[in-house]
Amino acid sequence: CDWSSDVCSSDLGLTLSPYMVYSLNEAWLLDASFGVGRSNLDSQVGSVTGSPSTDRFFSSVGLTHMRMFGKATLTGKASFNYFNDDIKAYQSSDLIVNDPLQTKLSQLKIGGQVSYDAKPFVPFFGVYQYFNNLNSSAPARSRSRAQRMFASSSNCALSSTIAVTDLPASAASISA
């Protein structure tokens, strides 16, 4: 809670999300995931409280190609992601009925990365292009700046990570 701005929210929910990977051959992988969930939200703005519930669904399917060159690996990946979040209508403590809100995001992600096995480290560098289509049932005036900005957008992301191998299971990777 951010008590300095008089705004507080919390939620309790559950999401189930199985993930599957199928090796088509030595170089190609197909992966898929889907999930469903539900949350009960509690929010407070000033003295007004509300408790909407939300249902969510998401799915993802991806195709990955890997090619090894000695200790270096070149990986290409394309994936399609779909997210749907529904907030049910609810009445807040000031007796205002809040309309339901549905937000949908369809996203295409294309890119790749190069990594090098320098045991015990595996640094890699990746570049991905994202194509987003965001739809919301909220009136335009009440949509967040981010929702308006990314309603239909394309952006690029760079990532770099050093993964640590040959260490105990409790070891983690370092991301930048």
Side-chain angles (χ1 to χ4, degrees), residues 4 9 14 17 22-23 32 39 45 47 62 65 84 89 98 104 132 134 154 158-159:
S4 64
S9 66
L14 176 67
S17 177
Y22 180 72
S23 178
S39 291
V45 178
S47 62
H65 183 265
N84 182 44
N98 295 274
K104 296 179 182 182
N132 297 317
L134 179 67
S154 171
L158 302 176
S159 65

Side-chain angles (χ1 to χ4, degrees), residues 4-6 14 17 26-27 29 44 50 70 72 75-76 85 91 95 121-123 130 137 159 171-173 176:
S4 64
S5 66
D6 210 19
L14 176 67
S17 177
E26 283 185 10
L29 297 172
Q44 179 177 346
T75 304
D85 190 50
Q91 184 172 347
L95 305 182
F121 301 103
V122 182
Y130 295 84
S137 63
S159 65
S173 65

Side-chain angles (χ1 to χ4, degrees), residues 6-172:
D6 210 19
V7 175
C8 180
S9 66
S10 65
D11 72 282
L12 177 63
L14 176 67
T15 299
L16 299 174
S17 177
Y19 174 73
M20 299 156 275
V21 178
Y22 180 72
S23 178
L24 300 170
N25 58 39
E26 283 185 10
W28 291 93
L29 297 172
L30 178 66
D31 64 283
S33 177
F34 70 93
V36 293
R38 170 167 279 190
S39 291
N40 293 312
L41 308 171
D42 289 319
S43 64
Q44 179 177 346
V45 178
S47 62
V48 179
T49 60
S51 297
S53 65
T54 179
D55 293 320
R56 69 189 143 278
F57 170 81
F58 58 90
S59 62
S60 176
V61 62
L63 185 63
T64 302
H65 183 265
M66 295 185 306
R67 180 164 285 180
M68 297 186 74
F69 301 95
K71 291 186 172 192
T73 303
L74 184 62
T75 304
K77 183 166 179 88
S79 64
F80 178 77
N81 305 298
Y82 175 78
F83 306 91
N84 182 44
D85 190 50
D86 287 313
I87 298 176
K88 308 295 182 221
Y90 68 98
Q91 184 172 347
S92 52
S93 64
D94 60 358
L95 305 182
I96 302 271
V97 175
N98 295 274
D99 292 332
L101 173 64
Q102 182 178 53
T103 304
K104 296 179 182 182
L105 172 65
S106 300
Q107 181 183 77
L108 178 64
K109 175 183 166 184
I110 301 171
Q113 65 188 41
V114 62
S115 64
Y116 185 80
D117 188 357
K119 293 195 187 290
F121 301 103
V122 182
F124 73 85
F125 179 77
V127 177
Y128 293 92
Q129 180 75 39
Y130 295 84
F131 300 91
N132 297 317
N133 183 11
L134 179 67
N135 295 301
S136 177
S137 63
R141 69 182 184 283
S142 65
R143 290 186 193 151
S144 73
R145 180 173 179 257
Q147 286 176 314
R148 292 190 306 271
M149 187 169 65
F150 292 110
S152 182
S153 69
S154 171
N155 52 33
C156 185
L158 302 176
S159 65
S160 178
T161 299
I162 298 174
V164 181
T165 60
D166 298 331
L167 292 177
S170 61

